[in-house]
Protein backbone atom coordinates (compact mmCIF):
# COMPACT_ATOMS: atom_id res chain seq x y z
CA UNK A 1 0.00 0.00 0.00
CA UNK A 2 1.53 3.30 -1.09
CA UNK A 3 2.03 6.26 1.22
CA UNK A 4 -0.22 8.34 -1.01
CA UNK A 5 -3.12 5.89 -0.59
CA UNK A 6 -2.52 5.76 3.19
CA UNK A 7 -2.65 9.56 3.35
CA UNK A 8 -5.90 9.59 1.38
CA UNK A 9 -7.38 7.06 3.79
CA UNK A 10 -6.47 9.32 6.71
CA UNK A 11 -8.01 12.31 4.94
CA UNK A 12 -11.13 10.23 4.22
CA UNK A 13 -11.44 9.36 7.91
CA UNK A 14 -10.98 13.03 8.86
CA UNK A 15 -13.58 14.16 6.30
CA UNK A 16 -11.16 16.31 4.31
CA UNK A 17 -11.94 14.89 0.88
CA UNK A 18 -14.33 16.21 -1.72
CA UNK A 19 -17.36 14.15 -2.76
CA UNK A 20 -15.60 12.96 -5.91
CA UNK A 21 -12.49 11.93 -3.94
CA UNK A 22 -14.69 10.15 -1.37
CA UNK A 23 -16.40 8.17 -4.12
CA UNK A 24 -13.01 7.20 -5.57
CA UNK A 25 -11.69 5.98 -2.18
CA UNK A 26 -14.91 4.01 -1.59
CA UNK A 27 -14.53 2.30 -4.96
CA UNK A 28 -10.94 1.38 -4.10
CA UNK A 29 -12.02 -0.03 -0.73
CA UNK A 30 -14.76 -2.07 -2.40
CA UNK A 31 -12.09 -3.56 -4.66
CA UNK A 32 -9.99 -4.39 -1.61
CA UNK A 33 -13.02 -6.11 -0.05
CA UNK A 34 -13.42 -8.20 -3.20
CA UNK A 35 -9.71 -9.06 -3.13
CA UNK A 36 -9.89 -10.07 0.53
CA UNK A 37 -12.95 -12.22 -0.03
CA UNK A 38 -11.26 -13.92 -2.95
CA UNK A 39 -8.07 -14.56 -0.92
CA UNK A 40 -10.05 -15.98 1.96
CA UNK A 41 -11.91 -18.32 -0.34
CA UNK A 42 -8.66 -19.37 -2.05
CA UNK A 43 -6.86 -19.95 1.26
CA UNK A 44 -9.71 -22.11 2.56
CA UNK A 45 -10.16 -24.29 -0.52
CA UNK A 46 -6.65 -24.80 -1.95
CA UNK A 47 -4.12 -27.20 -0.29
CA UNK A 48 -0.58 -25.96 0.45
CA UNK A 49 1.11 -28.37 -2.04
CA UNK A 50 -1.35 -27.97 -4.85
CA UNK A 51 0.64 -25.41 -6.66
CA UNK A 52 -0.91 -22.59 -4.76
CA UNK A 53 -0.99 -19.20 -6.38
CA UNK A 54 0.98 -16.29 -5.07
CA UNK A 55 -0.92 -13.40 -3.58
CA UNK A 56 0.56 -11.25 -6.28
CA UNK A 57 -1.41 -13.27 -8.81
CA UNK A 58 -4.77 -12.50 -7.19
CA UNK A 59 -5.26 -9.20 -8.95
CA UNK A 60 -4.89 -10.93 -12.30
CA UNK A 61 -7.78 -13.29 -11.41
CA UNK A 62 -10.36 -10.42 -11.22
CA UNK A 63 -12.10 -10.57 -14.53
CA UNK A 64 -13.21 -7.38 -16.38
CA UNK A 65 -16.79 -8.40 -15.66
CA UNK A 66 -16.20 -8.29 -11.90
CA UNK A 67 -14.44 -4.95 -12.15
CA UNK A 68 -17.37 -3.49 -14.13
CA UNK A 69 -19.77 -4.82 -11.50
CA UNK A 70 -17.81 -3.08 -8.77
CA UNK A 71 -17.75 0.21 -10.67
CA UNK A 72 -21.46 -0.09 -11.53
CA UNK A 73 -22.35 -0.66 -7.89
CA UNK A 74 -20.39 2.42 -6.86
CA UNK A 75 -22.06 4.52 -9.53
CA UNK A 76 -25.55 3.48 -8.41
CA UNK A 77 -24.66 4.20 -4.82
CA UNK A 78 -23.55 7.70 -5.81
CA UNK A 79 -26.69 8.23 -7.90
CA UNK A 80 -28.99 7.20 -5.07
CA UNK A 81 -27.13 9.46 -2.66
CA UNK A 82 -27.39 12.42 -5.04
CA UNK A 83 -31.08 11.74 -5.73
CA UNK A 84 -31.90 11.64 -2.02
CA UNK A 85 -30.02 14.91 -1.55
CA UNK A 86 -31.96 16.59 -4.37
CA UNK A 87 -35.32 15.29 -3.09
CA UNK A 88 -34.56 16.49 0.42
CA UNK A 89 -33.56 19.93 -0.85
CA UNK A 90 -36.71 20.11 -3.01
CA UNK A 91 -38.97 19.27 -0.06
CA UNK A 92 -37.28 21.83 2.17
CA UNK A 93 -37.53 24.56 -0.48
CA UNK A 94 -41.18 23.69 -1.16
CA UNK A 95 -42.04 23.88 2.54
CA UNK A 96 -40.27 27.21 2.97
CA UNK A 97 -41.88 28.65 -0.18
CA UNK A 98 -45.34 27.55 1.00
CA UNK A 99 -44.84 29.39 4.27
CA UNK A 100 -43.45 32.42 2.45
CA UNK A 101 -46.36 32.43 -0.03
CA UNK A 102 -48.92 32.29 2.77
CA UNK A 103 -47.23 35.19 4.52
CA UNK A 104 -46.80 37.23 1.31
CA UNK A 105 -50.48 37.05 0.28
CA UNK A 106 -52.20 36.49 3.62
CA UNK A 107 -50.60 38.80 6.19
CA UNK A 108 -52.19 42.14 6.95
CA UNK A 109 -55.66 43.52 7.49
CA UNK A 110 -56.69 43.76 4.77
CA UNK A 111 -54.31 41.22 3.29
CA UNK A 112 -52.68 41.54 -0.11
CA UNK A 113 -55.05 38.80 -1.30
CA UNK A 114 -58.10 40.83 -0.23
CA UNK A 115 -56.79 43.94 -1.99
CA UNK A 116 -56.10 42.04 -5.19
CA UNK A 117 -59.58 40.53 -5.18
CA UNK A 118 -61.16 43.96 -4.70
CA UNK A 119 -59.12 45.39 -7.57
CA UNK A 120 -60.00 42.52 -9.91
CA UNK A 121 -63.70 42.59 -9.00
CA UNK A 122 -63.82 46.37 -9.50
CA UNK A 123 -62.06 46.20 -12.87
CA UNK A 124 -64.43 43.48 -14.10
CA UNK A 125 -67.60 45.24 -12.93
CA UNK A 126 -66.52 48.59 -14.43
CA UNK A 127 -65.28 47.39 -17.84
CA UNK A 128 -67.34 44.25 -18.58
CA UNK A 129 -71.05 45.09 -18.90
CA UNK A 130 -73.39 42.77 -17.01
CA UNK A 131 -70.57 40.45 -15.98
CA UNK A 132 -70.23 39.34 -12.38
CA UNK A 133 -67.50 37.05 -11.05
CA UNK A 134 -67.68 35.61 -7.53
CA UNK A 135 -63.96 35.37 -6.89
CA UNK A 136 -62.23 32.62 -4.94
CA UNK A 137 -58.53 32.38 -4.15
CA UNK A 138 -56.16 29.45 -3.87
CA UNK A 139 -52.66 29.72 -2.47
CA UNK A 140 -49.88 27.81 -4.18
CA UNK A 141 -46.16 27.35 -3.65
CA UNK A 142 -43.25 29.42 -4.92
CA UNK A 143 -45.09 32.73 -4.30
CA UNK A 144 -47.90 31.94 -6.73
CA UNK A 145 -51.58 32.68 -6.08
CA UNK A 146 -54.68 31.95 -8.15
CA UNK A 147 -57.85 34.03 -8.04
CA UNK A 148 -60.68 32.57 -10.07
CA UNK A 149 -64.43 32.35 -10.54
CA UNK A 150 -67.29 31.79 -12.98
CA UNK A 151 -68.35 34.68 -15.20
CA UNK A 152 -72.10 35.17 -14.89
CA UNK A 153 -74.65 37.36 -16.65
CA UNK A 154 -78.13 38.22 -15.51
CA UNK A 155 -80.57 37.25 -18.25
CA UNK A 156 -84.13 37.67 -17.12
CA UNK A 157 -84.35 36.86 -13.42
CA UNK A 158 -81.56 34.29 -13.42
CA UNK A 159 -77.78 34.36 -13.61
CA UNK A 160 -76.26 32.23 -16.34
CA UNK A 161 -72.63 31.11 -16.52
CA UNK A 162 -70.89 32.35 -19.66
CA UNK A 163 -67.28 31.47 -18.91
CA UNK A 164 -64.46 31.17 -16.42
CA UNK A 165 -62.14 33.93 -15.28
CA UNK A 166 -58.69 33.28 -13.81
CA UNK A 167 -55.92 35.57 -12.61
CA UNK A 168 -52.61 33.96 -11.66
CA UNK A 169 -50.11 35.92 -9.59
CA UNK A 170 -46.36 35.41 -9.30
CA UNK A 171 -44.84 37.74 -6.70
CA UNK A 172 -47.85 40.01 -7.27
CA UNK A 173 -47.48 40.06 -11.07
CA UNK A 174 -50.83 39.09 -12.67
CA UNK A 175 -51.68 37.12 -15.79
CA UNK A 176 -55.32 36.94 -16.91
CA UNK A 177 -57.26 34.26 -18.76
CA UNK A 178 -60.95 34.61 -19.73
CA UNK A 179 -62.47 31.40 -21.10
CA UNK A 180 -65.84 32.12 -22.75
CA UNK A 181 -68.26 29.21 -23.10
CA UNK A 182 -71.09 28.23 -25.44
CA UNK A 183 -70.26 30.91 -27.97
CA UNK A 184 -70.64 33.73 -25.44
CA UNK A 185 -68.47 36.76 -26.04
CA UNK A 186 -68.36 40.52 -25.71
CA UNK A 187 -69.33 41.25 -29.32
CA UNK A 188 -72.76 42.66 -28.40
CA UNK A 189 -71.46 45.28 -25.96
CA UNK A 190 -71.66 48.16 -28.46
CA UNK A 191 -72.87 51.55 -27.29
CA UNK A 192 -73.26 54.90 -29.03
CA UNK A 193 -72.30 58.08 -27.25
CA UNK A 194 -74.88 60.80 -27.95
CA UNK A 195 -73.88 64.07 -29.53
CA UNK A 196 -74.09 66.58 -26.64
CA UNK A 197 -76.36 69.05 -28.43
CA UNK A 198 -79.56 70.64 -27.12
CA UNK A 199 -81.61 68.33 -29.33
CA UNK A 200 -80.17 65.23 -27.78
CA UNK A 201 -80.26 66.53 -24.20
CA UNK A 202 -83.68 68.17 -24.07
CA UNK A 203 -85.79 65.19 -23.06
CA UNK A 204 -87.59 65.80 -19.81
CA UNK A 205 -86.32 63.27 -17.22
CA UNK A 206 -89.37 63.83 -15.05
CA UNK A 207 -91.78 63.01 -17.85
CA UNK A 208 -93.54 59.67 -17.53
CA UNK A 209 -91.98 57.06 -19.86
CA UNK A 210 -95.38 56.06 -21.22
CA UNK A 211 -96.15 59.66 -22.13
CA UNK A 212 -92.78 59.94 -23.87
CA UNK A 213 -93.62 56.81 -25.84
CA UNK A 214 -96.89 58.28 -27.08
CA UNK A 215 -95.04 61.27 -28.51
CA UNK A 216 -93.11 59.10 -30.93
CA UNK A 217 -94.29 58.74 -34.49
CA UNK A 218 -94.15 55.49 -36.40
CA UNK A 219 -91.61 56.90 -38.88
CA UNK A 220 -89.26 58.00 -36.11
CA UNK A 221 -89.38 54.64 -34.35
CA UNK A 222 -88.83 52.65 -37.51
CA UNK A 223 -85.75 54.72 -38.33
CA UNK A 224 -83.95 53.62 -35.19
CA UNK A 225 -80.87 51.44 -35.60
CA UNK A 226 -80.12 48.19 -33.86
CA UNK A 227 -81.38 44.63 -33.53
CA UNK A 228 -85.09 45.45 -33.34
CA UNK A 229 -85.99 43.05 -36.15
CA UNK A 230 -83.98 40.30 -34.49
CA UNK A 231 -85.77 41.00 -31.23
CA UNK A 232 -89.14 40.77 -33.00
CA UNK A 233 -88.32 37.30 -34.31
CA UNK A 234 -87.62 35.88 -30.83
CA UNK A 235 -90.45 33.82 -29.28
CA UNK A 236 -92.70 35.63 -26.83
CA UNK A 237 -91.88 33.24 -23.99
CA UNK A 238 -88.22 34.24 -23.84
CA UNK A 239 -86.12 36.73 -21.94
CA UNK A 240 -83.14 38.61 -23.33
CA UNK A 241 -80.24 40.86 -22.48
CA UNK A 242 -80.13 44.15 -24.43
CA UNK A 243 -77.40 46.79 -24.79
CA UNK A 244 -79.35 50.03 -25.11
CA UNK A 245 -77.89 53.39 -26.16
CA UNK A 246 -79.63 56.71 -25.44
CA UNK A 247 -79.75 59.89 -27.48
CA UNK A 248 -79.16 62.03 -24.39
CA UNK A 249 -77.31 61.91 -21.08
CA UNK A 250 -78.97 61.02 -17.78
CA UNK A 251 -78.01 61.34 -14.16
CA UNK A 252 -78.13 58.06 -12.26
CA UNK A 253 -81.30 58.95 -10.38
CA UNK A 254 -83.00 60.18 -13.57
CA UNK A 255 -82.30 56.96 -15.42
CA UNK A 256 -83.39 54.73 -12.55
CA UNK A 257 -86.72 56.57 -12.43
CA UNK A 258 -87.28 55.85 -16.12
CA UNK A 259 -87.43 52.11 -15.36
CA UNK A 260 -89.42 52.23 -12.15
CA UNK A 261 -92.71 51.55 -13.96
CA UNK A 262 -91.36 49.25 -16.65
CA UNK A 263 -91.43 45.48 -16.53
CA UNK A 264 -87.69 45.15 -17.14
CA UNK A 265 -84.52 45.60 -15.11
CA UNK A 266 -81.45 47.75 -15.79
CA UNK A 267 -78.41 45.79 -14.62
CA UNK A 268 -75.45 47.90 -15.82
CA UNK A 269 -74.97 51.58 -16.69
CA UNK A 270 -72.53 53.05 -19.24
CA UNK A 271 -70.84 56.21 -17.94
CA UNK A 272 -69.64 59.05 -20.15
CA UNK A 273 -65.85 59.33 -19.96
CA UNK A 274 -65.46 61.83 -22.76
CA UNK A 275 -65.41 61.75 -26.56
CA UNK A 276 -63.74 58.68 -27.97
CA UNK A 277 -61.87 60.79 -30.52
CA UNK A 278 -59.20 61.06 -27.84
CA UNK A 279 -58.38 57.49 -28.85
CA UNK A 280 -58.84 57.91 -32.62
CA UNK A 281 -62.55 57.03 -32.77
CA UNK A 282 -64.70 59.76 -34.31
CA UNK A 283 -68.00 57.97 -35.04
CA UNK A 284 -69.35 57.82 -31.48
CA UNK A 285 -69.19 54.01 -31.32
CA UNK A 286 -67.91 52.73 -27.99
CA UNK A 287 -66.80 49.11 -27.91
CA UNK A 288 -64.95 49.30 -24.58
CA UNK A 289 -67.37 51.10 -22.28
CA UNK A 290 -66.80 52.16 -18.69
CA UNK A 291 -69.65 51.94 -16.22
CA UNK A 292 -70.98 50.26 -13.12
CA UNK A 293 -73.53 47.57 -12.19
CA UNK A 294 -76.91 48.44 -10.81
CA UNK A 295 -76.01 46.60 -7.63
CA UNK A 296 -72.48 47.65 -6.62
CA UNK A 297 -69.61 45.21 -6.19
CA UNK A 298 -68.69 46.24 -2.66
CA UNK A 299 -65.12 46.41 -1.38
CA UNK A 300 -63.86 44.88 1.83
CA UNK A 301 -63.89 48.25 3.61
CA UNK A 302 -67.54 48.85 2.68
CA UNK A 303 -68.58 46.14 5.13
CA UNK A 304 -69.81 47.33 8.50
CA UNK A 305 -68.65 44.73 11.03
CA UNK A 306 -71.21 43.91 13.73
CA UNK A 307 -69.53 40.79 15.22
CA UNK A 308 -65.99 39.37 15.16
CA UNK A 309 -64.29 36.25 16.55
CA UNK A 310 -60.78 34.97 15.94
CA UNK A 311 -59.36 31.55 16.83
CA UNK A 312 -55.71 30.60 16.28
CA UNK A 313 -54.88 27.26 14.64
CA UNK A 314 -51.30 25.99 14.42
CA UNK A 315 -48.28 28.27 14.07
CA UNK A 316 -49.51 30.53 11.31
CA UNK A 317 -53.19 29.66 10.87
CA UNK A 318 -56.30 31.17 12.34
CA UNK A 319 -60.05 30.91 11.90
CA UNK A 320 -61.94 34.18 11.72
CA UNK A 321 -65.70 34.41 11.93
CA UNK A 322 -67.39 37.75 11.50
CA UNK A 323 -70.76 39.23 10.71
CA UNK A 324 -71.80 42.50 9.16
CA UNK A 325 -73.67 44.24 6.40
CA UNK A 326 -73.03 46.39 3.33
CA UNK A 327 -74.83 49.68 2.62
CA UNK A 328 -78.48 49.33 1.67
CA UNK A 329 -79.74 50.75 -1.63
CA UNK A 330 -83.05 52.04 -2.88
CA UNK A 331 -83.80 50.04 -6.04
CA UNK A 332 -84.67 53.16 -8.02
CA UNK A 333 -82.62 55.73 -6.15
CA UNK A 334 -79.46 56.43 -4.11
CA UNK A 335 -77.72 57.83 -7.16
CA UNK A 336 -75.13 59.70 -5.08
CA UNK A 337 -74.10 56.53 -3.27
CA UNK A 338 -73.83 54.58 -6.52
CA UNK A 339 -71.80 57.35 -8.16
CA UNK A 340 -69.47 57.63 -5.18
CA UNK A 341 -68.82 53.91 -5.20
CA UNK A 342 -68.12 54.00 -8.94
CA UNK A 343 -65.52 56.75 -8.49
CA UNK A 344 -64.00 54.87 -5.56
CA UNK A 345 -63.69 51.76 -7.75
CA UNK A 346 -61.98 53.78 -10.48
CA UNK A 347 -59.47 55.05 -7.93
CA UNK A 348 -58.83 51.49 -6.79
CA UNK A 349 -58.14 50.52 -10.41
CA UNK A 350 -55.78 53.48 -10.63
CA UNK A 351 -53.96 52.34 -7.48
CA UNK A 352 -53.54 48.79 -8.81
CA UNK A 353 -52.69 49.83 -12.34
CA UNK A 354 -50.91 46.59 -13.22
CA UNK A 355 -54.04 44.56 -12.46
CA UNK A 356 -56.20 47.07 -14.35
CA UNK A 357 -53.96 46.89 -17.41
CA UNK A 358 -54.30 43.10 -17.48
CA UNK A 359 -58.05 42.95 -16.79
CA UNK A 360 -58.99 45.97 -18.93
CA UNK A 361 -56.12 46.64 -21.36
CA UNK A 362 -58.16 48.99 -23.60
CA UNK A 363 -59.33 51.35 -20.86
CA UNK A 364 -57.50 54.56 -19.97
CA UNK A 365 -58.25 54.63 -16.25
CA UNK A 366 -56.46 57.91 -15.55
CA UNK A 367 -58.27 59.80 -18.33
CA UNK A 368 -61.64 58.26 -17.41
CA UNK A 369 -61.29 59.14 -13.74
CA UNK A 370 -60.14 62.68 -14.48
CA UNK A 371 -63.10 63.27 -16.83
CA UNK A 372 -65.69 61.91 -14.38
CA UNK A 373 -64.28 63.87 -11.46
CA UNK A 374 -64.41 67.07 -13.51
CA UNK A 375 -67.76 66.58 -15.27
CA UNK A 376 -69.69 64.25 -12.97
CA UNK A 377 -71.35 60.90 -13.62
CA UNK A 378 -73.57 60.99 -16.72
CA UNK A 379 -75.09 57.90 -18.30
CA UNK A 380 -75.60 57.35 -22.02
CA UNK A 381 -76.47 53.63 -22.12
CA UNK A 382 -77.46 50.61 -20.10
CA UNK A 383 -77.69 46.84 -20.19
CA UNK A 384 -81.34 45.94 -19.68
CA UNK A 385 -82.91 42.53 -19.26
CA UNK A 386 -86.47 41.32 -19.25
CA UNK A 387 -89.17 39.69 -21.38
CA UNK A 388 -88.64 40.13 -25.11
CA UNK A 389 -92.06 41.72 -25.65
CA UNK A 390 -91.26 44.31 -22.95
CA UNK A 391 -87.88 45.14 -24.46
CA UNK A 392 -89.60 45.76 -27.80
CA UNK A 393 -91.55 48.64 -26.21
CA UNK A 394 -88.27 50.58 -25.92
CA UNK A 395 -88.41 51.14 -29.68
CA UNK A 396 -91.18 53.67 -29.09
CA UNK A 397 -89.30 55.58 -26.35
CA UNK A 398 -87.99 58.99 -27.39
CA UNK A 399 -84.63 58.80 -25.62
CA UNK A 400 -83.68 55.30 -26.86
CA UNK A 401 -81.36 55.46 -29.87
CA UNK A 402 -80.05 51.92 -30.42
CA UNK A 403 -80.48 48.38 -29.11
CA UNK A 404 -78.21 45.34 -29.46
CA UNK A 405 -79.37 41.89 -28.42
CA UNK A 406 -77.07 39.88 -26.16
CA UNK A 407 -77.86 36.61 -24.41
CA UNK A 408 -81.32 35.02 -24.85
CA UNK A 409 -82.89 32.40 -22.57
CA UNK A 410 -86.18 30.63 -22.08
CA UNK A 411 -88.75 32.25 -19.84
CA UNK A 412 -87.60 32.73 -16.25
CA UNK A 413 -89.12 36.12 -15.45
CA UNK A 414 -90.90 36.84 -12.19
CA UNK A 415 -93.91 38.98 -12.98
Amino acid sequence: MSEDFKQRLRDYADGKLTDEEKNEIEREMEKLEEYQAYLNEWMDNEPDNAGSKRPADVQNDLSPKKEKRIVRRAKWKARISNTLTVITAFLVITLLSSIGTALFYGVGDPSRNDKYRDAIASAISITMPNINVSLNSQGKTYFMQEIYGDMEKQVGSERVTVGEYTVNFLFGLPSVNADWKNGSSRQSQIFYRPDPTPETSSANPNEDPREQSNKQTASASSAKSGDWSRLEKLPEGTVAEAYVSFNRFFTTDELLKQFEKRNMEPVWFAVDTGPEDRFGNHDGVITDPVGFPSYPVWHHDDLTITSYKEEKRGWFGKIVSSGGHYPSLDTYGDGKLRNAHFIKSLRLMQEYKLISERVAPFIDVDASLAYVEENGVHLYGAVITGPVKELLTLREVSWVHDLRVGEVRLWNWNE
Side-chain angles (χ1 to χ4, degrees):
M1 182 180 299
S2 66
E3 289 300 325
D4 179 64
F5 187 74
K6 291 179 181 179
Q7 182 60 44
R8 286 195 294 160
L9 284 177
R10 285 192 289 270
D11 292 341
Y12 177 82
D14 294 337
K16 297 180 180 179
L17 299 180
T18 64
D19 291 341
E20 184 177 352
E21 291 172 334
K22 286 181 181 179
N23 292 335
E24 184 179 353
I25 285 293
E26 289 173 355
R27 288 195 294 269
E28 292 292 338
M29 288 191 293
E30 286 180 353
K31 286 185 179 182
L32 291 176
E33 290 177 0
E34 291 283 342
Y35 299 157
Q36 186 62 47
Y38 182 80
L39 285 173
N40 292 338
E41 183 181 357
W42 179 73
M43 293 286 291
D44 292 339
N45 297 331
E46 292 292 328
D48 292 339
N49 57 355
S52 61
K53 300 177 182 178
R54 296 189 303 272
D57 298 331
V58 174
Q59 183 174 358
N60 297 330
D61 286 345
L62 281 178
S63 65
K65 185 176 181 180
K66 287 187 177 181
E67 290 182 353
K68 289 182 179 180
R69 187 167 62 248
I70 294 172
V71 174
R72 191 184 306 116
R73 185 186 305 167
K75 286 182 178 180
W76 275 108
K77 182 177 180 181
R79 289 171 182 168
I80 292 173
S81 176
N82 293 338
T83 301
L84 291 176
T85 301
V86 171
I87 292 175
T88 301
F90 174 77
L91 293 176
V92 171
I93 293 173
T94 300
L95 177 61
L96 293 177
S97 72
S98 298
I99 296 174
T101 301
L103 294 175
F104 182 80
Y105 291 103
V107 170
D109 187 22
S111 66
R112 184 178 275 105
N113 181 60
D114 291 335
K115 294 177 181 177
Y116 286 172
R117 284 172 39 163
D118 278 353
I120 294 169
S122 295
I124 291 174
S125 66
I126 285 176
T127 63
M128 300 176 68
N130 194 23
I131 293 290
N132 178 70
V133 182
S134 298
L135 295 172
N136 301 298
S137 60
Q138 179 180 354
K140 297 184 177 181
T141 56
Y142 308 111
F143 293 92
M144 293 188 292
Q145 178 89 344
E146 182 182 54
I147 297 180
Y148 61 95
D150 290 335
M151 293 187 290
E152 297 179 336
K153 282 188 174 186
Q154 182 173 340
V155 184
S157 298
E158 296 180 355
R159 291 194 173 274
V160 296
T161 300
V162 295
E164 296 177 353
Y165 203 87
T166 306
V167 182
N168 288 296
F169 287 92
L170 175 61
F171 283 104
L173 300 176
S175 62
V176 174
N177 178 54
D179 182 16
W180 298 89
K181 294 182 177 179
N182 301 324
S184 298
S185 68
R186 301 171 65 182
Q187 295 178 355
S188 300
Q189 64 172 44
I190 297 176
F191 291 97
Y192 293 89
R193 182 178 185 269
D195 183 16
T197 60
E199 289 78 7
T200 61
S201 304
S202 59
N204 183 2
N206 297 319
E207 185 177 2
D208 185 83
R210 302 299 181 180
E211 294 180 6
Q212 292 184 14
S213 299
N214 294 332
K215 292 183 179 181
Q216 292 297 308
T217 64
S219 60
S221 64
S222 62
K224 290 185 177 181
S225 62
D227 290 346
W228 300 104
S229 60
R230 180 184 171 193
L231 201 62
E232 286 178 335
K233 292 179 174 62
L234 292 174
E236 183 176 338
T238 55
V239 293
E241 167 201 42
Y243 295 76
V244 181
S245 300
F246 312 139
N247 58 19
R248 57 154 295 193
F249 295 105
F250 288 87
T251 66
T252 304
D253 283 321
E254 287 174 348
L255 185 59
L256 287 170
K257 291 299 181 183
Q258 298 295 330
F259 290 95
E260 187 171 10
K261 298 179 181 180
R262 291 186 173 276
N263 189 24
M264 60 187 71
E265 182 179 354
V267 292
W268 193 87
F269 305 115
V271 178
D272 179 35
T273 56
E276 289 295 295
D277 53 13
R278 294 174 300 167
F279 312 114
N281 188 351
H282 303 279
D283 57 5
V285 178
I286 299 177
T287 57
D288 294 294
V290 171
F292 59 90
S294 176
Y295 187 81
V297 176
W298 301 112
H299 307 146
H300 67 274
D301 56 352
D302 294 320
L303 179 67
T304 301
I305 302 295
T306 56
S307 63
Y308 183 88
K309 182 179 179 182
E310 182 176 311
E311 180 181 352
K312 292 190 174 297
R313 289 289 179 88
W315 289 354
F316 302 103
K318 63 180 179 180
I319 297 178
V320 175
S321 57
S322 61
H325 61 84
Y326 291 105
S328 59
L329 284 176
D330 180 0
T331 304
Y332 297 102
D334 286 323
K336 289 184 178 180
L337 178 58
R338 297 172 194 266
N339 295 346
H341 186 269
F342 167 64
I343 295 174
K344 178 184 175 184
S345 298
L346 276 177
R347 289 173 179 161
L348 184 64
M349 288 180 64
Q350 189 180 51
E351 179 181 356
Y352 292 92
K353 182 165 290 187
L354 193 57
I355 292 177
S356 301
E357 289 174 350
R358 297 293 191 274
V359 176
F362 303 109
I363 303 298
D364 188 333
V365 178
D366 294 335
S368 299
L369 179 59
Y371 187 90
V372 170
E373 287 180 332
E374 181 179 354
N375 298 279
V377 177
H378 300 286
L379 312 180
Y380 64 89
V383 180
I384 303 169
T385 186
V388 168
K389 66 177 182 178
E390 296 293 335
L391 294 176
L392 279 169
T393 63
L394 294 175
R395 184 167 50 182
E396 307 302 327
V397 177
S398 62
W399 41 267
V400 172
H401 167 66
D402 181 87
L403 178 144
R404 303 287 170 173
V405 177
E407 298 285 337
V408 178
R409 290 293 185 276
L410 294 177
W411 184 266
N412 59 30
W413 191 252
N414 296 322
E415 295 285 358

